[in-house]
Each structure stands twice: as structure tokens, then as C-alpha cells.
Amino acid sequence: MRETAKPLRSGELARLTGVSTDTLRHYERLGILPAAPRTTAGYRMYAPDAPERVHLVRQAMRLGFTLDELTEILGARDRGEVPCGRVLAMMEAKLGALEQRIRELREAQRAMQALVRNWRVQLQRTPRGSKAGLLQSLTTKADLPAGAPEHLKRRKQT
Amino acid sequence: MRETAKPLRSGELARLTGVSTDTLRHYERLGILPAAPRTTAGYRMYAPDAPERVHLVRQAMRLGFTLDELTEILGARDRGEVPCGRVLAMMEAKLGALEQRIRELREAQRAMQALVRNWRVQLQRTPRGSKAGLLQSLTTKADLPAGAPEHLKRRKQT
DNA sequence: CTTGACCCTGGAATCGATTCCAGGGCGCAT
DNA sequence: ATGCGCCCTGGAATCGATTCCAGGGTCAAG
């Protein structure tokens, strides 16, 4: 049934995958996406499996792979090599890092919970507008784990 | 016993707190550290309680506060205001974000563990150098949670 | 033939925290 | 007075991923 199929334009691919066309171009520049063939007018024509590739990239990023790493891995794959072993190794490393990171964050969480509980009480029994020294307490009960912060900022991937 | 005490030089404060002098200057620029008085030669003289302040900053960052937020909070405190209430509110928000983030990472972890297990098997039962399609499997079992990655990169805080 | 939606380009900007740089003073010990 | 280690300055660079920009084509509908 399906013929050689209709190529996608960049905007369509973007919509299908939830990334901006800018980002698609960016990936192409890095070699993460193969250079798409062009129409005579210079428009990119993406093969129907392009969304899958983009999806792959996003999933991998979600697991902590960087664009550089993906360039490396996917490049190898595109060259016909079989990077599976390498990928597995990287994956295991990523997983280790992730576990480590989760441990750190749990520690920070614990500390924060204690702090918040404490502060709520402190604040309540403090008259009004007189300093309860909440901040100050941070310096004294300096028992938080090392190296936890980093970022818990942006959660939407635009 | 202790007199008015000996002021610290920037290098000493840096060593005591584990931050670089560059970072100290940076904090001062942002107003996170009050402008230190100077010797006639222009050297900064930090009061003996300066390490405490720096420590406070690092702890707060560890909990997810940004430098901007600290500028705001500490600035208020330095101006004699009592930012405890505000701090508590921010703290609660941070905690919420942190919990959210931890949840995401655990999800990613779960997915990765499954993937790694799977891949180990796959790879073992694949002859040698023939593509096991590990990467490919990422696109199909696309059941990872949304918005987890971000960074689990640098773990040393230099 | 004009309008509006879409596409192209490369280089620059953004976010946050930290570091690096060059060019120039101190201060103490030899 | 020479050297070495420390200090000063402000502006720029770094990391990674994404976005923004300006100036310019393309295409289909009206």
C-alpha cells in the first residue's frame, strides 16, 4: 500500500516531535540528524522515519545523554558500525550517575523537610516581625550532604 | 578572650569556605556578600563572621536557591527587614520542586534499569558485532516519563 | 500581484554559576 | 632591591541546549 511516502517539511516534523525547527536545525548541524535532502527550492525533505529518529534523540537525552554523545553514537551507527556495546557501557555509567544524584537529592530533601518543619514552628511562636533567625539556622545546622543542588529548575521542555 | 579579631584576607576566606576568590568577588558584585572594608592598599578585610555568611550561601544554594534569590533575601536581611516568612515560603516551593524532580528521576531510573537489564541479555545472545538494535529499542518502548533529564553531570563543585 | 504562512541562512543571545584573563599593585623575606 | 605570593580590577569566556535575529526566498490562495 504505502508508496515511497511523502517527505515531511521541517515545520511538520517539528510539530510531530514537539521540538522547534530551530532545534532540528541545531541537531543537523551537530550531525545528530543526517542532513536532509532538499527540494529544488532548498526546503528540507524529511523521510517518514525522521520522527522516530528525533524521538530516539529525545529519549536518549531524557536518560542523560548529551548531544555530543549522541553525535558520537548516532554518527557511528550511521557509518554502519555497531555501537551497541558502547551504548550499553555509557548507559550503565549514566545509570550510576543517576543513582548517585538521586541519593544526593533525597538527602537534600530530608534536610529541607526537617528545616521547613522546624521553621514553621519557630515562625509561629515568634511574636510578629521579629527575626526568627531562620536563615541563621542554616549556618549552624550545617549538616546537609555535599553536592546536591545543581538545578531543580526548569521542568518544562518547551 | 577574643578581641575585635583579625580580619581575613580574601584568599583565607576562600580557603576556609572552599570557594574561589573569584567566586567571592562574584558574590560581592551581586550583593550577596556585603562589600568588605578595605585596607589602605585596597585589600578586602573580611570580618570573622564572613565564613559563616559564605557557608549560609552555599547551604542555601544546595537547597536550590539561586544567587538572585539570595541577593534578594540577604539584601532584605541586611536592610534590617525580616525575610523569614518569605524565606519559608520560598523554601516550601523549593521543596515541592525538589520532590517533583526526585519523582521524575526515579522514574527515569526505573526505565533505565529495565533497559540496561534488557540490553545485557540482548547483547549476550547476539552473535558478535551484529547490530542488536539497542538504540532502536529506545524509540519503540517509548514509555519513559516526560521531563526527567536536565543534567546529572558535574558532581564535583570544584 | 499581493498577502500570509512557511522556509532558508549563520551568527549571536540566553540561562546561571563559575572561571579565566591581562595588566597592574602590595608586602614580606632574602 | 629582587623575587615570590598574594591581591586588585572589569570584562570576557565557559558549559549545553535552545532560542532569537535579520534579511531574504517560496508557495498557494485570493
Side-chain angles (χ1 to χ4, degrees), chain A residues 119 132-140, chain B residues 56 60 70 73-74 77 83-84 87:
Chain A
W119 285 11
L134 301 191
L135 269 175
Q136 213 54 35
S137 68
L138 265 187
T139 75
T140 51
Chain B
L56 165 73
L70 287 174
I73 291 174
L74 293 178
R77 201 182 65 163
C84 284
V87 172

Side-chain angles (χ1 to χ4, degrees), chain B residues 69-133:
Chain B
E69 289 166 337
L70 287 174
T71 301
E72 145 92 354
I73 291 174
L74 293 178
R77 201 182 65 163
D78 288 345
R79 266 181 266 104
E81 302 172 29
V82 181
C84 284
R86 211 183 322 165
V87 172
L88 179 54
M90 288 175 99
M91 195 68 153
E92 284 166 335
K94 295 287 175 200
L95 184 52
L98 180 56
E99 283 162 350
Q100 173 61 26
R101 175 131 193 81
I102 288 178
R103 243 174 280 131
E104 291 170 355
L105 290 188
R106 308 259 306 270
E107 262 312 301
Q109 181 189 29
R110 227 184 33 69
M112 270 176 99
Q113 282 167 340
L115 220 49
V116 165
R117 264 197 299 277
N118 197 331
W119 285 12
R120 284 217 190 92
V121 176
Q122 294 286 313
L123 203 52
Q124 206 151 39
R125 69 176 48 162
T126 306
R128 276 226 327 102
S130 57
K131 59 174 188 167

Side-chain angles (χ1 to χ4, degrees), chain B residues 20 22-23 26-27 41 43 58 61 66-67 158:
Chain B
S20 70
D22 267 326
T23 299
H26 186 48
Y27 289 174
Y43 289 15
R58 310 272 8 178
M61 290 186 68
T66 69
L67 292 186
T158 310

Side-chain angles (χ1 to χ4, degrees), chain A residues 31-101:
Chain A
I32 286 176
L33 295 182
R38 305 300 187 97
T39 69
T40 52
Y43 289 15
R44 285 177 183 77
M45 300 184 300
Y46 288 103
D49 66 337
E52 194 181 312
R53 173 98 174 207
V54 175
H55 200 68
L56 165 73
V57 170
R58 309 264 25 172
Q59 293 289 21
M61 290 188 68
R62 190 161 295 158
L63 298 185
F65 285 81
T66 70
L67 293 185
D68 272 359
E69 288 166 338
L70 287 174
T71 301
E72 146 91 354
I73 292 174
L74 293 179
R77 201 182 63 163
D78 288 344
R79 265 180 268 105
E81 303 172 28
V82 182
C84 283
R86 212 182 322 166
V87 172
L88 178 54
M90 289 175 99
M91 195 67 153
E92 285 167 333
K94 295 286 175 201
L95 184 53
L98 181 56
E99 283 164 348
Q100 174 61 25
R101 174 136 193 78

Side-chain angles (χ1 to χ4, degrees), chain A residues 24-36 38 44 46:
Chain A
L24 289 178
R25 284 202 322 113
H26 186 48
Y27 288 174
E28 184 177 306
R29 273 197 279 236
L30 293 182
I32 286 176
L33 295 182
R38 305 300 187 97
R44 285 177 183 77
Y46 288 103

